[in-house]
Amino acid sequence: MSEYIYNIPAQQLPIEREGWLIVRTDEPAVLPTILTGDDLGAVVAVQLSSLASDSEALNAWTAGLPIELMMDDPAAEFPLLYRHTNLLDHHPVRVVIPVRPGFAKAVKVAVALEFAVRLDVGQPDPALIEELAAVLEFYLRQSSVAQPIEYFHGTLLGLFHAEPLPLWVIQDEEPGVMRYVTDEGRETMVGRLAEHQFALPPDASLVDWTEQALATAEDCRDCEFFLSCGGYFKWPRADYDCGGVKRIFGLLRDAAAELRRDLEAGPA
Ligand code: SF4
């Protein structure tokens, strides 16, 4: 079986290629019917592409299967999270929240409902950096936050253990592993790389990808956060100014150092 994980719409099943599947749909009720046998065995996660959909059919179906709830407009859609809380009885559930104006409130509601969060951070506008810093502060300082908020959580752990992972891995966008199948059945790269094509061989490592394709921008070469980022924020626009996101990386680095100091000091 290939190493690829295909993010595929339910209507494009069954897939001809071998691999693992993340099945996305806005009609969750069809999944227990169309995903059976080998097809179900290859599924590593389900994505609900519309929060307005009724997820009840998935509540007790295939317990333990991870589910992602895809939010489109955080300022308007956060109340829709309440209707999906029953999924938590049988599944790890993560809400994917785009970093757009008003996203901080959506994060707080998701965390209060005990969902994990993945920020779809894009290339955030300078005006959103303050809101991003406020959400990071909330994640770091609020004792009520029991679920991970990515990409903060993975980056903090990497810095704390001095084994940073690039955001391509933390954000589930590793180009040598993930593929996206469009609603029309066309195979592309995932996320911010979707409109790009690369000539790297199928067995290229993430280091190969980073050195030969992902982090070739001039700014990345001597960036102090290269190992935690891997050139992630230079896509899709290579001229993106990383000043704001470097500030967020700096806050995470400071938090990791503080955590280490606290642990070394031991109990007060
Ligand atoms: S923060 Fe910006 S400059 Fe630094 S590695 Fe990431 S994309 Fe490159």
Side-chain angles (χ1 to χ4, degrees), residues 20-41:
W20 304 102
L21 305 176
I22 296 170
V23 179
R24 66 180 191 274
T25 183
D26 59 4
E27 292 181 76
V30 305
L31 294 184
T33 308
I34 65 171
L35 285 175
T36 56
D38 288 347
D39 281 345
L40 180 56

Side-chain angles (χ1 to χ4, degrees), residues 4-8 20 22 24 47 68 70 118 120 167-169 171-182 186-198 206 209 214 232 235-236:
Y4 287 142
I5 300 173
Y6 294 95
N7 184 313
I8 185 170
W20 304 102
I22 296 170
R24 66 180 191 274
Q47 284 183 343
E68 280 194 327
M70 310 301 287
R118 173 164 64 92
D120 182 4
L167 291 183
W168 303 103
V169 177
Q171 294 286 80
D172 291 344
E173 293 180 49
E174 196 174 341
V177 175
M178 309 294 294
R179 289 293 180 274
Y180 188 85
V181 180
T182 67
R186 189 169 58 92
E187 184 179 324
T188 72
M189 307 295 286
V190 293
R192 59 189 60 216
L193 301 180
E195 300 307 319
H196 297 268
Q197 293 187 336
F198 300 91
L206 184 56
W209 272 96
L214 302 176
Y232 186 81
W235 296 85

Side-chain angles (χ1 to χ4, degrees), residues 82-105:
Y82 289 90
R83 65 170 66 185
H84 301 291
T85 53
N86 285 344
L87 288 171
L88 289 162
D89 291 343
H90 297 284
H91 302 275
V93 186
R94 186 161 75 168
V95 186
V96 180
I97 300 176
V99 172
R100 293 188 195 148
F103 81 97
K105 182 161 189 179

